[in-house]
Amino acid sequence: MSFDTLKQRYEAAGQGHLLKFWPQLSKGEQSSLTDQLDALDIERVNRIYMKAISAEKEVIDPNTVADSIQPLPEGASESVTNVIKVKEWRQIGLEAIARGEVGVLLMAGGQGTRLGSSAPKGCYDIGLPSHKSLFQYQAERIARLQTVAEQECNKSAGSVIIPWYVMTSGPTRRDTQNFFKTNKFFGLKADNVIFFEQGTLPCLTMDGKVLLETPSRVAVAPDGNGGVYAATRSPLSATDKSHTVLSNLADRKVLYVHAYCVDNCLVRVADPVFIGYSIQKQADCAAKVVPKTSPTESVGVVACRGDKFSVVEYSEISKEQAEKRDPKTGELAFRAGNIANHFYTTAYLNRVESFEHELAFHIARKKIPHVDLETGQVVKPKAPNGMKLELFVFDVFPFTERFAVLEVERKEEFSPLKNAPGTGSDDPETSRTDLLTQHQRFLESAGATVKDGVEIEISPLVSYAGEGLEPVKGKTFSKSGLVESVEELDALV
């Protein structure tokens, strides 16, 4: 696009100030800025800003908000406590996996900043005996599940593939890809691990003007984990503009997708129980949840807002609602804690584009370094001076025609890594403890005894969710250690 055309377009959008320093820029800087502005859909940015401001300005009486919020209707949610149904769901899920109909989408754009690491969060080692990273644990769960599906569905070895779509961010993409390459994709075939990048949006002033980070570069920020939907439609890379995640899913004839966040060490990747449950429910979108620990736990819950499914923040629920209990079961009425663990049909992922313009981005007011348009100097503000706009991954729930919720046990499936070492909650130590305690339960459920103080780490390649440990029945384990095969367990007796 020529400079004159670009200037005209941006002036028409009320963002002509982005070219103010053009005469002072070098040829290289001009080229860089032109590329950035050419690629930016500035009209969409303006629309997003206007809708976000409009949504925020809708002043609603808090009591009206509370009145519109209702618990999940009967039949919308089921639990893994129903052992007979779990067996049935698992079989349905495994058969779909064996047919090659299941893919996995990992949201892994974050860095481990809070953990004291500048590396992608998935590279983090929570201190297990194996020192395996989060990425490696998840990769090995995929590998094991492929084997389980082959064995239980009478498929030949190596024939079942679960493609893994790894969403990075601009700052983490190169490091993530290098980490996978260095570690030989943790035993998975490289062709079945597809990297793609989360989108960004320009940072704006409070009145919607795009900020410049430097005279030749627009200030941008990630567009939130809800940006995953637009990212599935974007080119896989600058060197592969003809393919997208959605086109790759279509080429592979994948019908169902499991999506989750990288920071949960207990995540059951492509969980056949969740997949099978969602298929049986004929859901186009589904959420896995855990019961709230108490009425006051600060966690969003999956509930209904009016007649639409939604994630309701704890701050939106009144004290009376938070404490309300189901008269039949005595459980909390609002108990479905959101853990960002979702199922989608690929048909639904393709449909998101048709209603995405109706989604209101959330505004985060931040201190954003920027170039002063008068002086050309970089300003580092001491108070919030602008906004970052982001979507949340659950913002699509109200647009779902057939929604379902599966409640799972927190101790078995959810241990988030959010905080710095030594914090005491949701930190590397709690993640490590939760995982090793689960492995102890696996052994005990298989009929073994584990002595007090003994820590045994069972490789995901040995057991995905406690299966395959029949040989330990009647044995007592008195030594700690790491096992990469069932046979190695004998050395710890």
Side-chain angles (χ1 to χ4, degrees):
M1 187 180 293
S2 72
F3 171 75
D4 288 340
T5 307
L6 199 65
K7 187 168 185 282
Q8 191 176 1
R9 178 181 157 205
Y10 273 78
E11 284 178 350
Q15 304 283 5
H17 63 280
L18 295 173
L19 292 161
K20 176 162 185 183
F21 300 105
W22 183 267
Q24 294 110 280
L25 301 180
S26 68
K27 291 287 185 192
E29 289 170 331
Q30 286 180 348
S31 175
S32 175
L33 181 59
T34 300
D35 289 346
Q36 194 176 9
L37 296 183
D38 195 17
L40 184 61
D41 186 344
I42 194 62
E43 294 79 15
R44 174 175 177 260
V45 172
N46 285 345
R47 288 195 302 273
I48 288 172
Y49 166 75
M50 294 303 293
K51 188 161 184 67
I53 290 292
S54 171
E56 194 179 60
K57 280 183 178 173
E58 287 177 12
V59 180
I60 303 172
D61 185 326
N63 295 321
T64 308
V65 173
D67 289 345
S68 74
I69 296 169
Q70 301 295 328
L72 289 170
E74 202 166 329
S77 175
E78 293 198 52
S79 168
V80 293
T81 53
N82 189 325
V83 179
I84 294 170
K85 283 196 171 181
V86 164
K87 192 175 179 182
E88 185 181 337
W89 296 332
R90 181 178 179 275
Q91 188 59 36
I92 293 170
L94 278 180
E95 287 171 2
I97 289 167
R99 290 193 298 267
E101 295 173 354
V102 176
V104 172
L105 198 162
L106 167 60
M107 292 173 277
Q111 292 170 296
T113 312
R114 282 196 206 171
L115 306 169
S117 167
S118 60
K121 211 172 189 182
C123 302
Y124 197 80
D125 166 11
I126 59 174
L128 294 166
S130 66
H131 292 289
K132 290 177 181 177
S133 63
L134 293 170
F135 280 140
Q136 182 164 356
Y137 245 78
Q138 292 159 28
E140 291 184 352
R141 284 187 182 130
I142 290 173
R144 171 63 185 169
L145 188 55
Q146 290 174 163
T147 301
V148 170
E150 287 163 1
Q151 291 171 346
E152 295 195 27
C153 299
N154 299 314
K155 295 282 184 175
S156 59
S159 66
V160 171
I161 293 167
I162 302 171
W164 197 14
Y165 300 87
V166 180
M167 184 174 81
T168 68
S169 61
T172 65
R173 180 164 191 158
R174 182 179 295 176
D175 287 346
T176 300
Q177 291 187 234
N178 287 342
F179 191 70
F180 272 76
K181 286 175 186 170
T182 301
N183 289 282
K184 297 179 180 173
F185 291 82
F186 311 106
L188 299 175
K189 289 183 179 174
D191 288 350
N192 298 324
V193 181
I194 299 94
F195 298 97
F196 67 112
E197 201 167 306
Q198 179 178 0
T200 60
L201 280 171
C203 301
L204 307 176
T205 63
M206 299 301 186
D207 58 356
K209 299 297 182 185
V210 176
L211 288 165
L212 283 169
E213 182 184 344
T214 72
S216 63
R217 187 165 64 244
V218 171
V220 298
D223 55 4
N225 57 15
V228 65
Y229 304 108
T232 62
R233 302 192 302 267
S234 300
L236 288 176
S237 69
T239 55
D240 185 2
K241 294 190 175 182
S242 59
H243 296 94
T244 66
V245 168
L246 291 179
S247 72
N248 192 283
L249 287 165
D251 290 345
R252 292 173 182 267
K253 297 182 172 56
V254 171
L255 301 180
Y256 313 108
V257 173
H258 175 224
Y260 68 97
C261 293
V262 74
D263 59 3
N264 176 14
C265 70
L266 295 182
V267 66
R268 294 191 176 176
V269 187
D271 177 18
V273 174
F274 185 37
I275 299 287
Y277 165 75
S278 302
I279 292 172
Q280 190 182 72
K281 282 282 193 178
Q282 295 185 310
D284 44 18
C285 177
K288 191 181 273 196
V289 300
V290 296
K292 281 181 68 171
T293 54
S294 71
T296 55
E297 185 184 7
S298 301
V299 62
V301 293
V302 180
C304 286
R305 200 187 296 269
D307 61 349
K308 302 286 187 184
F309 290 100
S310 181
V311 170
V312 179
E313 297 300 340
Y314 61 90
S315 56
E316 297 179 274
I317 298 175
S318 68
K319 184 174 183 289
E320 291 72 27
Q321 285 175 316
E323 294 174 350
K324 184 180 177 183
R325 292 192 178 266
D326 185 312
K328 292 181 184 175
T329 64
E331 296 169 332
L332 292 173
F334 292 94
R335 64 195 298 259
N338 173 46
I339 60 171
N341 193 311
H342 303 151
F343 163 94
Y344 308 96
T345 62
T346 47
Y348 181 77
L349 289 177
N350 277 284
R351 194 164 67 81
V352 170
E353 186 176 15
S354 69
F355 60 75
E356 204 168 44
H357 64 282
E358 297 182 54
L359 303 176
F361 279 68
H362 307 270
I363 297 172
R365 289 177 172 80
K366 301 281 188 181
K367 292 180 280 190
I368 304 169
H370 63 283
V371 171
D372 185 298
L373 291 175
E374 298 305 317
T375 65
Q377 299 300 308
V378 174
V379 178
K380 293 188 176 178
K382 294 179 180 175
N385 64 303
M387 57 178 71
K388 297 179 180 181
L389 299 167
E390 56 186 8
L391 275 181
F392 299 147
V393 69
F394 52 74
D395 284 337
V396 301
F397 287 2
F399 298 86
T400 308
E401 292 170 8
R402 296 180 303 280
F403 191 75
V405 177
L406 182 64
E407 185 178 281
V408 299
E409 286 189 274
R410 187 183 293 240
K411 69 177 182 179
E412 297 295 350
E413 300 204 34
F414 187 55
S415 180
L417 179 61
K418 304 286 185 189
N419 301 319
T423 305
S425 67
D426 297 345
D427 64 10
E429 291 82 7
T430 57
S431 291
R432 179 187 190 279
T433 298
D434 289 346
L435 193 55
L436 292 177
T437 304
Q438 181 184 63
H439 291 180
Q440 180 174 332
R441 286 195 298 274
F442 286 172
L443 292 168
E444 290 170 347
S445 295
T449 300
V450 181
K451 287 191 173 180
D452 288 347
V454 171
E455 290 183 333
I456 298 174
E457 181 185 354
I458 302 169
S459 167
L461 295 170
V462 174
S463 183
Y464 174 86
E467 81 295 330
L469 298 174
E470 293 79 10
V472 306
K473 188 174 182 179
K475 294 178 180 176
T476 298
F477 293 96
S478 57
K479 299 173 188 170
S480 297
L482 159 70
V483 293
E484 295 282 0
S485 69
V486 177
E487 293 73 25
E488 288 178 17
L489 280 161
D490 286 340
L492 303 179
V493 172

